[in-house]
Amino acid sequence: MDRLQPVDEAWSRALAVVAHPDDMEYGAAAAVARWTAQGKTVAYCLVTSGEAGIDSMPPEEARPVREREQREAAALVGVSAVEFLGHPDGMLEYGLPLRRDIARAIRRHRPEVVIMTNHHPTFEGGGLNQADHIAVGQAVIDAVRDAANRWVFRELLTEGLEPWNGVRMVLASGSPYARHGVDVTDHFAAGVASLKAHAAYLKGLGDAHPMADAEEFLEAMARATGTRLGCRFAAAFEVIEFG
């Protein structure tokens, strides 16, 4: 595997936009813990509430549970601003409504960096990605441009949201095209605690699921990535530059 380059950390505000509660916690949360410890501001925007993610729990019961667990998980890595867009879990469609809602969030938070998860059809190693992740990832990339264009989604202007063209890069975690990394050695434990906060979700996976053991799963991934960056533990990102 090629050696990773360090992610540029010369910024102060980031917005993470992902499909589900727990998406940030599979690797990226430890990097968020590092960044908030540096004094950076990171906000979370969840497109769905993950209400279809627990087989034994009806969506109307799962929604408040998963939202609560996501807020708890975010707090453990220094994130206090967590919002949910309310799109239907498992049935996301790429299109104008999704782009508009993400562009709205970008204009409201005015980040320099947007964080998302892998938007490619597969993960490294060939495992298939999930449809919601793909739809949200592509919508995030396009919404960065939409947020900067005064004449796209003009209704946002009537809401008092002026265009924002300050996004310098999008960081995609879990991408098979990751060429950059973040040393999370000192913040790995916070990342593990953040994933463990999704207790109901992890229990729903069952003991036999490879992701059910949060610490073992994250350690294997972070250690392999750390080898590529030259540290003990690291998180990998695909960097998509703007401007």
PDB file of all heavy atoms in Angstrom, residues 2 76 99-100 102 163 186 203 205-206 224:
ATOM      1  N   ASP A   2       0.438   2.271  -0.727  1.00  0.00           N
ATOM      2  CA  ASP A   2       1.181   3.520  -0.780  1.00  0.00           C
ATOM      3  C   ASP A   2       1.155   4.218   0.568  1.00  0.00           C
ATOM      4  O   ASP A   2       0.186   4.119   1.334  1.00  0.00           O
ATOM      5  CB  ASP A   2       0.576   4.450  -1.833  1.00  0.00           C
ATOM      6  CG  ASP A   2       0.739   3.902  -3.241  1.00  0.00           C
ATOM      7  OD1 ASP A   2       1.638   3.082  -3.445  1.00  0.00           O
ATOM      8  OD2 ASP A   2      -0.045   4.306  -4.125  1.00  0.00           O
ATOM      9  N   LEU A  76     -18.627  12.892  23.064  1.00  0.00           N
ATOM     10  CA  LEU A  76     -17.401  12.234  23.509  1.00  0.00           C
ATOM     11  C   LEU A  76     -16.180  12.645  22.693  1.00  0.00           C
ATOM     12  O   LEU A  76     -15.047  12.444  23.131  1.00  0.00           O
ATOM     13  CB  LEU A  76     -17.583  10.712  23.462  1.00  0.00           C
ATOM     14  CG  LEU A  76     -18.531  10.139  24.522  1.00  0.00           C
ATOM     15  CD1 LEU A  76     -18.871   8.689  24.203  1.00  0.00           C
ATOM     16  CD2 LEU A  76     -17.904  10.240  25.914  1.00  0.00           C
ATOM     17  N   ARG A  99     -29.741  17.655  -2.248  1.00  0.00           N
ATOM     18  CA  ARG A  99     -28.730  18.687  -2.475  1.00  0.00           C
ATOM     19  C   ARG A  99     -29.104  19.995  -1.781  1.00  0.00           C
ATOM     20  O   ARG A  99     -28.271  20.650  -1.155  1.00  0.00           O
ATOM     21  CB  ARG A  99     -28.541  18.919  -3.968  1.00  0.00           C
ATOM     22  CG  ARG A  99     -27.699  17.880  -4.665  1.00  0.00           C
ATOM     23  CD  ARG A  99     -27.745  18.037  -6.179  1.00  0.00           C
ATOM     24  NE  ARG A  99     -27.501  19.412  -6.614  1.00  0.00           N
ATOM     25  CZ  ARG A  99     -27.704  19.829  -7.868  1.00  0.00           C
ATOM     26  NH1 ARG A  99     -28.142  18.978  -8.795  1.00  0.00           N
ATOM     27  NH2 ARG A  99     -27.455  21.081  -8.197  1.00  0.00           N
ATOM     28  N   ARG A 100     -30.375  20.375  -1.883  1.00  0.00           N
ATOM     29  CA  ARG A 100     -30.824  21.636  -1.273  1.00  0.00           C
ATOM     30  C   ARG A 100     -30.655  21.619   0.237  1.00  0.00           C
ATOM     31  O   ARG A 100     -30.169  22.585   0.837  1.00  0.00           O
ATOM     32  CB  ARG A 100     -32.292  21.892  -1.613  1.00  0.00           C
ATOM     33  CG  ARG A 100     -32.860  23.194  -1.022  1.00  0.00           C
ATOM     34  CD  ARG A 100     -34.361  23.177  -1.027  1.00  0.00           C
ATOM     35  NE  ARG A 100     -34.869  22.065  -0.243  1.00  0.00           N
ATOM     36  CZ  ARG A 100     -35.840  21.241  -0.644  1.00  0.00           C
ATOM     37  NH1 ARG A 100     -36.405  21.370  -1.827  1.00  0.00           N
ATOM     38  NH2 ARG A 100     -36.240  20.266   0.153  1.00  0.00           N
ATOM     39  N   ILE A 102     -28.636  19.819   2.081  1.00  0.00           N
ATOM     40  CA  ILE A 102     -27.224  19.839   2.473  1.00  0.00           C
ATOM     41  C   ILE A 102     -26.621  21.212   2.199  1.00  0.00           C
ATOM     42  O   ILE A 102     -25.844  21.734   3.010  1.00  0.00           O
ATOM     43  CB  ILE A 102     -26.452  18.721   1.757  1.00  0.00           C
ATOM     44  CG1 ILE A 102     -26.990  17.346   2.190  1.00  0.00           C
ATOM     45  CG2 ILE A 102     -24.957  18.819   2.060  1.00  0.00           C
ATOM     46  CD1 ILE A 102     -26.414  16.173   1.417  1.00  0.00           C
ATOM     47  N   PRO A 163     -24.860  32.941   0.040  1.00  0.00           N
ATOM     48  CA  PRO A 163     -23.944  31.925  -0.493  1.00  0.00           C
ATOM     49  C   PRO A 163     -22.670  31.819   0.335  1.00  0.00           C
ATOM     50  O   PRO A 163     -22.206  32.792   0.928  1.00  0.00           O
ATOM     51  CB  PRO A 163     -23.642  32.434  -1.906  1.00  0.00           C
ATOM     52  CG  PRO A 163     -24.829  33.251  -2.267  1.00  0.00           C
ATOM     53  CD  PRO A 163     -25.263  33.919  -0.990  1.00  0.00           C
ATOM     54  N   ASP A 186      -3.292   9.566  19.855  1.00  0.00           N
ATOM     55  CA  ASP A 186      -3.632  10.120  21.166  1.00  0.00           C
ATOM     56  C   ASP A 186      -5.134  10.228  21.393  1.00  0.00           C
ATOM     57  O   ASP A 186      -5.569  10.542  22.507  1.00  0.00           O
ATOM     58  CB  ASP A 186      -3.000  11.502  21.332  1.00  0.00           C
ATOM     59  CG  ASP A 186      -1.485  11.446  21.383  1.00  0.00           C
ATOM     60  OD1 ASP A 186      -0.947  10.363  21.700  1.00  0.00           O
ATOM     61  OD2 ASP A 186      -0.845  12.473  21.099  1.00  0.00           O
ATOM     62  N   LYS A 203     -25.776  -3.656  19.668  1.00  0.00           N
ATOM     63  CA  LYS A 203     -26.463  -4.844  20.174  1.00  0.00           C
ATOM     64  C   LYS A 203     -27.315  -5.461  19.078  1.00  0.00           C
ATOM     65  O   LYS A 203     -27.386  -6.692  18.935  1.00  0.00           O
ATOM     66  CB  LYS A 203     -27.331  -4.479  21.373  1.00  0.00           C
ATOM     67  CG  LYS A 203     -28.066  -5.655  21.975  1.00  0.00           C
ATOM     68  CD  LYS A 203     -28.904  -5.229  23.181  1.00  0.00           C
ATOM     69  CE  LYS A 203     -29.661  -6.423  23.769  1.00  0.00           C
ATOM     70  NZ  LYS A 203     -30.501  -6.010  24.941  1.00  0.00           N
ATOM     71  N   LEU A 205     -26.710  -5.550  15.970  1.00  0.00           N
ATOM     72  CA  LEU A 205     -25.902  -6.242  14.968  1.00  0.00           C
ATOM     73  C   LEU A 205     -25.716  -7.718  15.308  1.00  0.00           C
ATOM     74  O   LEU A 205     -25.534  -8.546  14.408  1.00  0.00           O
ATOM     75  CB  LEU A 205     -24.525  -5.579  14.846  1.00  0.00           C
ATOM     76  CG  LEU A 205     -24.481  -4.168  14.269  1.00  0.00           C
ATOM     77  CD1 LEU A 205     -23.041  -3.658  14.274  1.00  0.00           C
ATOM     78  CD2 LEU A 205     -25.051  -4.123  12.857  1.00  0.00           C
ATOM     79  N   GLY A 206     -25.738  -8.014  16.616  1.00  0.00           N
ATOM     80  CA  GLY A 206     -25.514  -9.393  17.044  1.00  0.00           C
ATOM     81  C   GLY A 206     -24.040  -9.654  17.289  1.00  0.00           C
ATOM     82  O   GLY A 206     -23.166  -9.031  16.662  1.00  0.00           O
ATOM     83  N   ALA A 224      -3.572  -0.552  10.750  1.00  0.00           N
ATOM     84  CA  ALA A 224      -3.137  -0.712   9.359  1.00  0.00           C
ATOM     85  C   ALA A 224      -2.944   0.648   8.697  1.00  0.00           C
ATOM     86  O   ALA A 224      -1.982   0.856   7.945  1.00  0.00           O
ATOM     87  CB  ALA A 224      -4.170  -1.530   8.589  1.00  0.00           C
TER      88      ALA A 224
END
